[in-house]
Amino acid sequence: MNTKTMEGLVGASTNMKNMDTPMRVFRDARRRGDISVMKRAMGYAADYAEEAYDYYDKAEKGMEEDAKEAREKAKEFQEKAIQKRREEQEKLNERLEKLKEPDTVEVSEEGKGMLEENPDLAGSLSGEIKSENSTDMVTYTKDGRVIPAFPGGENIDIAVTD
């Protein structure tokens, strides 16, 4: 809360409470019929009322400043959130670009020699690597070569009898 707002609210409240005393004197003087005391009491009450309205105006100006500050803070917060989101998006885009880059594998001289000795593995250099989840049924020999599990084809006839 702005200091002008607090000062205005406290001042208006205090002056309204202070106005009670001259108003009490005014009512008492009216009952007695004392016009001069009534005028003097009404003058004091009017002064307090005028000061209360002045403080009320001060409180309104303070509240307007508070609202302006709140709007500025909200705008600043929103701009920071937008900037943070953009930075996160840039980082995400960088990570996606890194994932799009193909992975390369370097084969050592020893590995190249092994490939020359075993021609079945040569296909892996050109990118023809079979995944482990392949649906082709294969069998591995003692020396590590891959042969089809069913050399005659993929269809197998099975008969079940009771």
Side-chain angles (χ1 to χ4, degrees):
M1 185 179 277
N2 193 334
T3 56
K4 285 184 182 180
T5 305
M6 289 189 303
E7 184 180 346
L9 292 173
V10 170
S13 174
T14 302
N15 280 298
M16 291 303 288
K17 287 178 184 175
N18 287 343
M19 195 171 63
D20 287 345
T21 303
M23 289 304 292
R24 193 171 350 111
V25 171
F26 171 82
R27 283 191 293 274
D28 185 48
R30 187 178 61 188
R31 267 186 262 133
R32 288 180 302 173
D34 192 353
I35 294 182
S36 65
V37 173
M38 285 173 52
K39 285 183 182 179
R40 193 172 51 236
M42 200 46 117
Y44 288 127
D47 289 344
Y48 283 127
E50 188 176 321
E51 276 189 61
Y53 283 117
D54 290 343
Y55 277 112
Y56 173 78
D57 290 340
K58 194 177 218 179
E60 277 189 341
K61 288 178 184 175
M63 287 188 287
E64 287 173 4
E65 289 177 10
D66 283 343
K68 183 180 177 182
E69 287 177 20
R71 284 190 301 268
E72 289 173 0
K73 284 183 181 180
K75 184 178 179 181
E76 185 178 314
F77 178 77
Q78 185 178 18
E79 288 173 359
K80 285 182 182 179
I82 289 170
Q83 181 63 28
K84 184 177 179 182
R85 178 69 178 127
R86 284 183 184 150
E87 290 172 1
E88 289 175 357
Q89 187 65 34
E90 287 175 10
K91 287 179 184 177
L92 179 64
N93 287 340
E94 287 175 8
R95 278 194 245 151
L96 288 175
E97 288 299 319
K98 286 182 182 177
L99 289 175
K100 288 180 181 178
E101 294 175 5
D103 290 337
T104 57
V105 178
E106 247 183 73
V107 180
S108 66
E109 293 300 322
E110 183 180 319
K112 288 178 184 177
M114 290 176 70
L115 285 173
E116 289 174 5
E117 292 174 7
N118 193 352
D120 291 339
L121 296 176
S124 63
L125 284 178
S126 63
E128 299 173 6
I129 302 173
K130 289 188 177 181
S131 68
E132 292 180 10
N133 296 332
S134 175
T135 58
D136 297 338
M137 303 278 288
V138 295
T139 304
Y140 295 95
T141 62
K142 288 182 181 179
D143 58 352
R145 289 185 302 130
V146 178
I147 59 170
F150 305 103
E154 294 185 18
N155 296 334
I156 302 172
D157 293 329
I158 301 175
V160 178
T161 59
D162 286 327

